[in-house]
Amino acid sequence: MSPPITAEVNELLRVARDRSLESRQRLVGMIGDMFLGTGAVLTRQEQALMTDILRKLIREFTGPVRRLLSEKLAKIDVVPREIAVLLANDEFPVAEPILLASTALHDTDLIEVIHHRTLQHQLAVA
């Protein structure tokens, strides 16, 4: 039996359902705070849920909100690699913070960015 989802994750889900710009920005802050504050103690279920939410919402976020997310997550060591890869392959203003500061990306991820993205991406990796 899986452990219960915390109140913090329930609040995250509630905010995720609201599609307003204000809620999207709040959601980015909440996710960053959860990773920063409790990343080491999130259950596997909570980590998987957060990764799934992020993967789906990144497609819906506007460029500035994705940039904000990238800036927040670039500072965090426990970012799911899948999310870091998505952001690293985004338009350059979004990708830049992750490319410059994230430790979640592997060398193979960076090589893919170099081969498939813009000159700006390539320079950030270098």
mmCIF file of all heavy atoms in Angstrom, residues 47-89:
data_model
loop_
_atom_site.group_PDB
_atom_site.id
_atom_site.type_symbol
_atom_site.label_atom_id
_atom_site.label_comp_id
_atom_site.label_asym_id
_atom_site.label_seq_id
_atom_site.Cartn_x
_atom_site.Cartn_y
_atom_site.Cartn_z
ATOM 1 N N GLN A 47 7.466 12.264 -5.556
ATOM 2 C CA GLN A 47 8.413 12.678 -6.595
ATOM 3 C C GLN A 47 7.857 12.360 -7.987
ATOM 4 O O GLN A 47 7.935 13.176 -8.895
ATOM 5 C CB GLN A 47 9.760 11.972 -6.393
ATOM 6 C CG GLN A 47 10.515 12.454 -5.196
ATOM 7 C CD GLN A 47 11.752 11.613 -4.905
ATOM 8 O OE1 GLN A 47 11.987 10.581 -5.539
ATOM 9 N NE2 GLN A 47 12.547 12.043 -3.947
ATOM 10 N N ALA A 48 7.290 11.187 -8.145
ATOM 11 C CA ALA A 48 6.720 10.796 -9.438
ATOM 12 C C ALA A 48 5.534 11.695 -9.796
ATOM 13 O O ALA A 48 5.392 12.117 -10.950
ATOM 14 C CB ALA A 48 6.285 9.335 -9.403
ATOM 15 N N LEU A 49 4.721 12.006 -8.809
ATOM 16 C CA LEU A 49 3.579 12.885 -9.037
ATOM 17 C C LEU A 49 4.034 14.281 -9.450
ATOM 18 O O LEU A 49 3.517 14.859 -10.410
ATOM 19 C CB LEU A 49 2.718 12.956 -7.776
ATOM 20 C CG LEU A 49 1.457 13.796 -7.847
ATOM 21 C CD1 LEU A 49 0.516 13.282 -8.923
ATOM 22 C CD2 LEU A 49 0.763 13.789 -6.489
ATOM 23 N N MET A 50 5.025 14.819 -8.766
ATOM 24 C CA MET A 50 5.538 16.147 -9.107
ATOM 25 C C MET A 50 6.164 16.149 -10.497
ATOM 26 O O MET A 50 5.965 17.091 -11.266
ATOM 27 C CB MET A 50 6.545 16.610 -8.055
ATOM 28 C CG MET A 50 5.880 17.001 -6.752
ATOM 29 S SD MET A 50 7.041 17.538 -5.500
ATOM 30 C CE MET A 50 7.744 18.972 -6.256
ATOM 31 N N THR A 51 6.889 15.108 -10.835
ATOM 32 C CA THR A 51 7.497 15.019 -12.163
ATOM 33 C C THR A 51 6.414 14.960 -13.233
ATOM 34 O O THR A 51 6.505 15.634 -14.256
ATOM 35 C CB THR A 51 8.425 13.799 -12.248
ATOM 36 O OG1 THR A 51 9.452 13.934 -11.265
ATOM 37 C CG2 THR A 51 9.051 13.663 -13.625
ATOM 38 N N ASP A 52 5.387 14.180 -12.984
ATOM 39 C CA ASP A 52 4.285 14.068 -13.941
ATOM 40 C C ASP A 52 3.576 15.417 -14.108
ATOM 41 O O ASP A 52 3.290 15.829 -15.237
ATOM 42 C CB ASP A 52 3.302 13.000 -13.479
ATOM 43 C CG ASP A 52 2.240 12.700 -14.510
ATOM 44 O OD1 ASP A 52 2.603 12.499 -15.690
ATOM 45 O OD2 ASP A 52 1.054 12.676 -14.151
ATOM 46 N N ILE A 53 3.317 16.106 -13.021
ATOM 47 C CA ILE A 53 2.681 17.421 -13.082
ATOM 48 C C ILE A 53 3.557 18.374 -13.886
ATOM 49 O O ILE A 53 3.074 19.071 -14.782
ATOM 50 C CB ILE A 53 2.426 17.985 -11.670
ATOM 51 C CG1 ILE A 53 1.316 17.205 -10.978
ATOM 52 C CG2 ILE A 53 2.075 19.474 -11.729
ATOM 53 C CD1 ILE A 53 1.182 17.516 -9.504
ATOM 54 N N LEU A 54 4.836 18.410 -13.580
ATOM 55 C CA LEU A 54 5.748 19.319 -14.288
ATOM 56 C C LEU A 54 5.809 19.014 -15.777
ATOM 57 O O LEU A 54 5.759 19.919 -16.609
ATOM 58 C CB LEU A 54 7.147 19.230 -13.688
ATOM 59 C CG LEU A 54 7.378 20.035 -12.435
ATOM 60 C CD1 LEU A 54 8.737 19.711 -11.833
ATOM 61 C CD2 LEU A 54 7.267 21.511 -12.723
ATOM 62 N N ARG A 55 5.928 17.750 -16.122
ATOM 63 C CA ARG A 55 6.019 17.359 -17.533
ATOM 64 C C ARG A 55 4.800 17.856 -18.301
ATOM 65 O O ARG A 55 4.914 18.410 -19.394
ATOM 66 C CB ARG A 55 6.148 15.838 -17.650
ATOM 67 C CG ARG A 55 6.421 15.367 -19.046
ATOM 68 C CD ARG A 55 6.589 13.850 -19.198
ATOM 69 N NE ARG A 55 6.885 13.073 -18.017
ATOM 70 C CZ ARG A 55 5.971 12.369 -17.330
ATOM 71 N NH1 ARG A 55 4.712 12.345 -17.697
ATOM 72 N NH2 ARG A 55 6.333 11.660 -16.272
ATOM 73 N N LYS A 56 3.621 17.679 -17.723
ATOM 74 C CA LYS A 56 2.393 18.108 -18.392
ATOM 75 C C LYS A 56 2.270 19.626 -18.442
ATOM 76 O O LYS A 56 1.852 20.188 -19.449
ATOM 77 C CB LYS A 56 1.183 17.500 -17.685
ATOM 78 C CG LYS A 56 1.081 15.999 -17.904
ATOM 79 C CD LYS A 56 -0.038 15.393 -17.112
ATOM 80 C CE LYS A 56 -0.066 13.875 -17.309
ATOM 81 N NZ LYS A 56 -1.019 13.222 -16.432
ATOM 82 N N LEU A 57 2.623 20.279 -17.367
ATOM 83 C CA LEU A 57 2.426 21.724 -17.303
ATOM 84 C C LEU A 57 3.456 22.513 -18.093
ATOM 85 O O LEU A 57 3.163 23.606 -18.559
ATOM 86 C CB LEU A 57 2.412 22.187 -15.846
ATOM 87 C CG LEU A 57 1.211 21.716 -15.037
ATOM 88 C CD1 LEU A 57 1.314 22.180 -13.597
ATOM 89 C CD2 LEU A 57 -0.091 22.202 -15.656
ATOM 90 N N ILE A 58 4.645 21.972 -18.264
ATOM 91 C CA ILE A 58 5.668 22.682 -19.036
ATOM 92 C C ILE A 58 5.136 22.973 -20.436
ATOM 93 O O ILE A 58 5.395 24.034 -20.993
ATOM 94 C CB ILE A 58 6.990 21.888 -19.068
ATOM 95 C CG1 ILE A 58 7.687 22.037 -17.716
ATOM 96 C CG2 ILE A 58 7.894 22.354 -20.195
ATOM 97 C CD1 ILE A 58 8.916 21.160 -17.543
ATOM 98 N N ARG A 59 4.355 22.060 -20.969
ATOM 99 C CA ARG A 59 3.774 22.276 -22.300
ATOM 100 C C ARG A 59 2.747 23.415 -22.292
ATOM 101 O O ARG A 59 2.504 24.033 -23.316
ATOM 102 C CB ARG A 59 3.132 20.994 -22.802
ATOM 103 C CG ARG A 59 4.151 19.921 -23.121
ATOM 104 C CD ARG A 59 3.478 18.634 -23.586
ATOM 105 N NE ARG A 59 4.443 17.595 -23.821
ATOM 106 C CZ ARG A 59 4.840 16.709 -22.913
ATOM 107 N NH1 ARG A 59 4.349 16.749 -21.701
ATOM 108 N NH2 ARG A 59 5.731 15.787 -23.209
ATOM 109 N N GLU A 60 2.135 23.667 -21.148
ATOM 110 C CA GLU A 60 1.103 24.701 -21.047
ATOM 111 C C GLU A 60 1.648 26.052 -20.594
ATOM 112 O O GLU A 60 1.016 27.073 -20.848
ATOM 113 C CB GLU A 60 0.019 24.260 -20.058
ATOM 114 C CG GLU A 60 -0.741 23.034 -20.490
ATOM 115 C CD GLU A 60 -1.757 22.612 -19.450
ATOM 116 O OE1 GLU A 60 -2.131 23.431 -18.586
ATOM 117 O OE2 GLU A 60 -2.187 21.443 -19.489
ATOM 118 N N PHE A 61 2.765 26.053 -19.902
ATOM 119 C CA PHE A 61 3.321 27.306 -19.398
ATOM 120 C C PHE A 61 3.741 28.210 -20.546
ATOM 121 O O PHE A 61 4.239 27.751 -21.567
ATOM 122 C CB PHE A 61 4.570 27.048 -18.544
ATOM 123 C CG PHE A 61 4.317 26.462 -17.183
ATOM 124 C CD1 PHE A 61 5.340 25.790 -16.534
ATOM 125 C CD2 PHE A 61 3.116 26.571 -16.533
ATOM 126 C CE1 PHE A 61 5.166 25.252 -15.276
ATOM 127 C CE2 PHE A 61 2.910 26.037 -15.276
ATOM 128 C CZ PHE A 61 3.943 25.374 -14.650
ATOM 129 N N THR A 62 3.591 29.514 -20.348
ATOM 130 C CA THR A 62 4.128 30.476 -21.309
ATOM 131 C C THR A 62 5.639 30.531 -21.134
ATOM 132 O O THR A 62 6.184 30.079 -20.118
ATOM 133 C CB THR A 62 3.545 31.880 -21.062
ATOM 134 O OG1 THR A 62 3.937 32.311 -19.754
ATOM 135 C CG2 THR A 62 2.026 31.891 -21.191
ATOM 136 N N GLY A 63 6.324 31.111 -22.119
ATOM 137 C CA GLY A 63 7.782 31.228 -22.055
ATOM 138 C C GLY A 63 8.285 31.851 -20.770
ATOM 139 O O GLY A 63 9.183 31.300 -20.118
ATOM 140 N N PRO A 64 7.730 32.997 -20.346
ATOM 141 C CA PRO A 64 8.219 33.611 -19.101
ATOM 142 C C PRO A 64 8.018 32.730 -17.866
ATOM 143 O O PRO A 64 8.855 32.717 -16.968
ATOM 144 C CB PRO A 64 7.413 34.905 -18.996
ATOM 145 C CG PRO A 64 7.036 35.229 -20.409
ATOM 146 C CD PRO A 64 6.829 33.887 -21.078
ATOM 147 N N VAL A 65 6.937 31.976 -17.820
ATOM 148 C CA VAL A 65 6.700 31.098 -16.666
ATOM 149 C C VAL A 65 7.664 29.910 -16.726
ATOM 150 O O VAL A 65 8.209 29.493 -15.697
ATOM 151 C CB VAL A 65 5.227 30.631 -16.605
ATOM 152 C CG1 VAL A 65 5.017 29.649 -15.468
ATOM 153 C CG2 VAL A 65 4.298 31.829 -16.430
ATOM 154 N N ARG A 66 7.924 29.378 -17.927
ATOM 155 C CA ARG A 66 8.921 28.300 -18.056
ATOM 156 C C ARG A 66 10.303 28.809 -17.663
ATOM 157 O O ARG A 66 11.088 28.085 -17.042
ATOM 158 C CB ARG A 66 8.928 27.738 -19.483
ATOM 159 C CG ARG A 66 7.693 26.952 -19.841
ATOM 160 C CD ARG A 66 7.816 26.139 -21.114
ATOM 161 N NE ARG A 66 8.507 26.766 -22.201
ATOM 162 C CZ ARG A 66 7.947 27.557 -23.138
ATOM 163 N NH1 ARG A 66 6.653 27.827 -23.078
ATOM 164 N NH2 ARG A 66 8.679 28.064 -24.115
ATOM 165 N N ARG A 67 10.618 30.055 -18.015
ATOM 166 C CA ARG A 67 11.912 30.652 -17.630
ATOM 167 C C ARG A 67 12.013 30.714 -16.105
ATOM 168 O O ARG A 67 13.037 30.369 -15.523
ATOM 169 C CB ARG A 67 12.049 32.046 -18.257
ATOM 170 C CG ARG A 67 13.183 32.904 -17.724
ATOM 171 C CD ARG A 67 14.550 32.415 -18.166
ATOM 172 N NE ARG A 67 15.606 33.178 -17.512
ATOM 173 C CZ ARG A 67 16.733 33.508 -18.071
ATOM 174 N NH1 ARG A 67 17.006 33.142 -19.310
ATOM 175 N NH2 ARG A 67 17.648 34.169 -17.408
ATOM 176 N N LEU A 68 10.939 31.165 -15.463
ATOM 177 C CA LEU A 68 10.911 31.231 -14.001
ATOM 178 C C LEU A 68 11.130 29.847 -13.396
ATOM 179 O O LEU A 68 11.911 29.675 -12.454
ATOM 180 C CB LEU A 68 9.576 31.824 -13.535
ATOM 181 C CG LEU A 68 9.350 31.972 -12.052
ATOM 182 C CD1 LEU A 68 10.336 32.955 -11.433
ATOM 183 C CD2 LEU A 68 7.910 32.445 -11.794
ATOM 184 N N LEU A 69 10.477 28.851 -13.958
ATOM 185 C CA LEU A 69 10.658 27.474 -13.491
ATOM 186 C C LEU A 69 12.103 27.024 -13.689
ATOM 187 O O LEU A 69 12.715 26.447 -12.792
ATOM 188 C CB LEU A 69 9.711 26.538 -14.240
ATOM 189 C CG LEU A 69 9.814 25.064 -13.889
ATOM 190 C CD1 LEU A 69 9.424 24.820 -12.436
ATOM 191 C CD2 LEU A 69 8.936 24.244 -14.831
ATOM 192 N N SER A 70 12.660 27.321 -14.847
ATOM 193 C CA SER A 70 14.040 26.947 -15.143
ATOM 194 C C SER A 70 15.008 27.598 -14.159
ATOM 195 O O SER A 70 15.932 26.954 -13.661
ATOM 196 C CB SER A 70 14.378 27.342 -16.579
ATOM 197 O OG SER A 70 15.673 26.940 -16.930
ATOM 198 N N GLU A 71 14.791 28.867 -13.863
ATOM 199 C CA GLU A 71 15.650 29.577 -12.903
ATOM 200 C C GLU A 71 15.557 28.940 -11.530
ATOM 201 O O GLU A 71 16.569 28.754 -10.848
ATOM 202 C CB GLU A 71 15.244 31.045 -12.809
ATOM 203 C CG GLU A 71 15.591 31.861 -14.032
ATOM 204 C CD GLU A 71 14.974 33.251 -14.023
ATOM 205 O OE1 GLU A 71 14.140 33.564 -13.144
ATOM 206 O OE2 GLU A 71 15.330 34.038 -14.930
ATOM 207 N N LYS A 72 14.350 28.600 -11.114
ATOM 208 C CA LYS A 72 14.135 28.015 -9.790
ATOM 209 C C LYS A 72 14.770 26.619 -9.707
ATOM 210 O O LYS A 72 15.474 26.301 -8.757
ATOM 211 C CB LYS A 72 12.633 27.940 -9.528
ATOM 212 C CG LYS A 72 12.253 27.666 -8.132
ATOM 213 C CD LYS A 72 11.895 28.951 -7.453
ATOM 214 C CE LYS A 72 11.205 28.700 -6.144
ATOM 215 N NZ LYS A 72 11.162 29.855 -5.310
ATOM 216 N N LEU A 73 14.538 25.803 -10.723
ATOM 217 C CA LEU A 73 15.022 24.420 -10.686
ATOM 218 C C LEU A 73 16.519 24.296 -10.952
ATOM 219 O O LEU A 73 17.134 23.315 -10.538
ATOM 220 C CB LEU A 73 14.230 23.553 -11.664
ATOM 221 C CG LEU A 73 12.738 23.399 -11.368
ATOM 222 C CD1 LEU A 73 12.086 22.482 -12.389
ATOM 223 C CD2 LEU A 73 12.488 22.907 -9.952
ATOM 224 N N ALA A 74 17.102 25.271 -11.628
ATOM 225 C CA ALA A 74 18.539 25.222 -11.919
ATOM 226 C C ALA A 74 19.374 25.225 -10.641
ATOM 227 O O ALA A 74 20.499 24.725 -10.635
ATOM 228 C CB ALA A 74 18.934 26.394 -12.809
ATOM 229 N N LYS A 75 18.824 25.733 -9.570
ATOM 230 C CA LYS A 75 19.548 25.849 -8.299
ATOM 231 C C LYS A 75 19.403 24.613 -7.418
ATOM 232 O O LYS A 75 19.960 24.557 -6.334
ATOM 233 C CB LYS A 75 19.012 27.055 -7.517
ATOM 234 C CG LYS A 75 19.118 28.360 -8.265
ATOM 235 C CD LYS A 75 18.392 29.455 -7.513
ATOM 236 C CE LYS A 75 18.294 30.695 -8.380
ATOM 237 N NZ LYS A 75 17.410 31.687 -7.794
ATOM 238 N N ILE A 76 18.655 23.637 -7.885
ATOM 239 C CA ILE A 76 18.292 22.503 -7.043
ATOM 240 C C ILE A 76 18.972 21.233 -7.552
ATOM 241 O O ILE A 76 18.903 20.911 -8.734
ATOM 242 C CB ILE A 76 16.755 22.319 -7.045
ATOM 243 C CG1 ILE A 76 16.074 23.603 -6.554
ATOM 244 C CG2 ILE A 76 16.360 21.143 -6.181
ATOM 245 C CD1 ILE A 76 14.584 23.612 -6.765
ATOM 246 N N ASP A 77 19.607 20.505 -6.651
ATOM 247 C CA ASP A 77 20.325 19.287 -7.030
ATOM 248 C C ASP A 77 19.412 18.096 -7.294
ATOM 249 O O ASP A 77 19.807 17.164 -7.980
ATOM 250 C CB ASP A 77 21.321 18.895 -5.937
ATOM 251 C CG ASP A 77 22.476 19.880 -5.847
ATOM 252 O OD1 ASP A 77 22.811 20.512 -6.861
ATOM 253 O OD2 ASP A 77 23.033 20.020 -4.739
ATOM 254 N N VAL A 78 18.198 18.105 -6.740
ATOM 255 C CA VAL A 78 17.332 16.925 -6.837
ATOM 256 C C VAL A 78 16.276 17.040 -7.936
ATOM 257 O O VAL A 78 15.281 16.350 -7.902
ATOM 258 C CB VAL A 78 16.651 16.634 -5.476
ATOM 259 C CG1 VAL A 78 17.664 16.217 -4.445
ATOM 260 C CG2 VAL A 78 15.829 17.817 -5.017
ATOM 261 N N VAL A 79 16.502 17.874 -8.920
ATOM 262 C CA VAL A 79 15.551 18.026 -10.019
ATOM 263 C C VAL A 79 15.513 16.728 -10.830
ATOM 264 O O VAL A 79 16.565 16.178 -11.160
ATOM 265 C CB VAL A 79 15.973 19.194 -10.935
ATOM 266 C CG1 VAL A 79 15.100 19.271 -12.178
ATOM 267 C CG2 VAL A 79 15.942 20.491 -10.177
ATOM 268 N N PRO A 80 14.329 16.244 -11.149
ATOM 269 C CA PRO A 80 14.266 15.051 -11.999
ATOM 270 C C PRO A 80 14.953 15.331 -13.341
ATOM 271 O O PRO A 80 14.720 16.361 -13.972
ATOM 272 C CB PRO A 80 12.763 14.825 -12.196
ATOM 273 C CG PRO A 80 12.125 15.526 -11.041
ATOM 274 C CD PRO A 80 13.008 16.696 -10.731
ATOM 275 N N ARG A 81 15.793 14.423 -13.743
ATOM 276 C CA ARG A 81 16.557 14.598 -14.987
ATOM 277 C C ARG A 81 15.631 14.847 -16.176
ATOM 278 O O ARG A 81 15.916 15.671 -17.043
ATOM 279 C CB ARG A 81 17.414 13.355 -15.216
ATOM 280 C CG ARG A 81 18.216 13.427 -16.487
ATOM 281 C CD ARG A 81 19.159 12.243 -16.582
ATOM 282 N NE ARG A 81 19.744 12.175 -17.902
ATOM 283 C CZ ARG A 81 19.767 11.085 -18.636
ATOM 284 N NH1 ARG A 81 19.272 9.957 -18.161
ATOM 285 N NH2 ARG A 81 20.301 11.104 -19.835
ATOM 286 N N GLU A 82 14.525 14.137 -16.229
ATOM 287 C CA GLU A 82 13.567 14.286 -17.324
ATOM 288 C C GLU A 82 13.098 15.739 -17.464
ATOM 289 O O GLU A 82 12.974 16.262 -18.575
ATOM 290 C CB GLU A 82 12.372 13.365 -17.059
ATOM 291 C CG GLU A 82 11.251 13.496 -18.036
ATOM 292 C CD GLU A 82 10.056 12.634 -17.646
ATOM 293 O OE1 GLU A 82 10.135 11.827 -16.701
ATOM 294 O OE2 GLU A 82 9.034 12.787 -18.325
ATOM 295 N N ILE A 83 12.866 16.403 -16.345
ATOM 296 C CA ILE A 83 12.415 17.798 -16.363
ATOM 297 C C ILE A 83 13.562 18.711 -16.799
ATOM 298 O O ILE A 83 13.372 19.629 -17.596
ATOM 299 C CB ILE A 83 11.869 18.211 -14.981
ATOM 300 C CG1 ILE A 83 10.663 17.336 -14.601
ATOM 301 C CG2 ILE A 83 11.526 19.693 -14.948
ATOM 302 C CD1 ILE A 83 9.526 17.317 -15.604
ATOM 303 N N ALA A 84 14.759 18.448 -16.292
ATOM 304 C CA ALA A 84 15.923 19.251 -16.680
ATOM 305 C C ALA A 84 16.176 19.141 -18.185
ATOM 306 O O ALA A 84 16.481 20.139 -18.845
ATOM 307 C CB ALA A 84 17.156 18.817 -15.889
ATOM 308 N N VAL A 85 16.019 17.953 -18.743
ATOM 309 C CA VAL A 85 16.217 17.749 -20.182
ATOM 310 C C VAL A 85 15.164 18.508 -20.980
ATOM 311 O O VAL A 85 15.479 19.149 -21.988
ATOM 312 C CB VAL A 85 16.224 16.240 -20.536
ATOM 313 C CG1 VAL A 85 16.142 16.020 -22.037
ATOM 314 C CG2 VAL A 85 17.453 15.568 -19.954
ATOM 315 N N LEU A 86 13.916 18.449 -20.548
ATOM 316 C CA LEU A 86 12.859 19.204 -21.240
ATOM 317 C C LEU A 86 13.191 20.696 -21.277
ATOM 318 O O LEU A 86 13.083 21.342 -22.318
ATOM 319 C CB LEU A 86 11.510 19.014 -20.533
ATOM 320 C CG LEU A 86 10.709 17.775 -20.851
ATOM 321 C CD1 LEU A 86 9.488 17.694 -19.941
ATOM 322 C CD2 LEU A 86 10.277 17.767 -22.305
ATOM 323 N N LEU A 87 13.592 21.232 -20.140
ATOM 324 C CA LEU A 87 13.894 22.665 -20.068
ATOM 325 C C LEU A 87 15.160 23.008 -20.852
ATOM 326 O O LEU A 87 15.225 24.062 -21.492
ATOM 327 C CB LEU A 87 14.020 23.103 -18.610
ATOM 328 C CG LEU A 87 12.710 23.046 -17.813
ATOM 329 C CD1 LEU A 87 12.975 23.257 -16.331
ATOM 330 C CD2 LEU A 87 11.700 24.052 -18.338
ATOM 331 N N ALA A 88 16.147 22.152 -20.835
ATOM 332 C CA ALA A 88 17.397 22.408 -21.555
ATOM 333 C C ALA A 88 17.184 22.444 -23.059
ATOM 334 O O ALA A 88 17.939 23.096 -23.784
ATOM 335 C CB ALA A 88 18.437 21.344 -21.203
ATOM 336 N N ASN A 89 16.162 21.773 -23.537
ATOM 337 C CA ASN A 89 15.872 21.731 -24.963
ATOM 338 C C ASN A 89 14.788 22.714 -25.383
ATOM 339 O O ASN A 89 14.352 22.709 -26.529
ATOM 340 C CB ASN A 89 15.483 20.311 -25.381
ATOM 341 C CG ASN A 89 16.685 19.423 -25.467
ATOM 342 O OD1 ASN A 89 17.459 19.524 -26.406
ATOM 343 N ND2 ASN A 89 16.883 18.577 -24.474
#
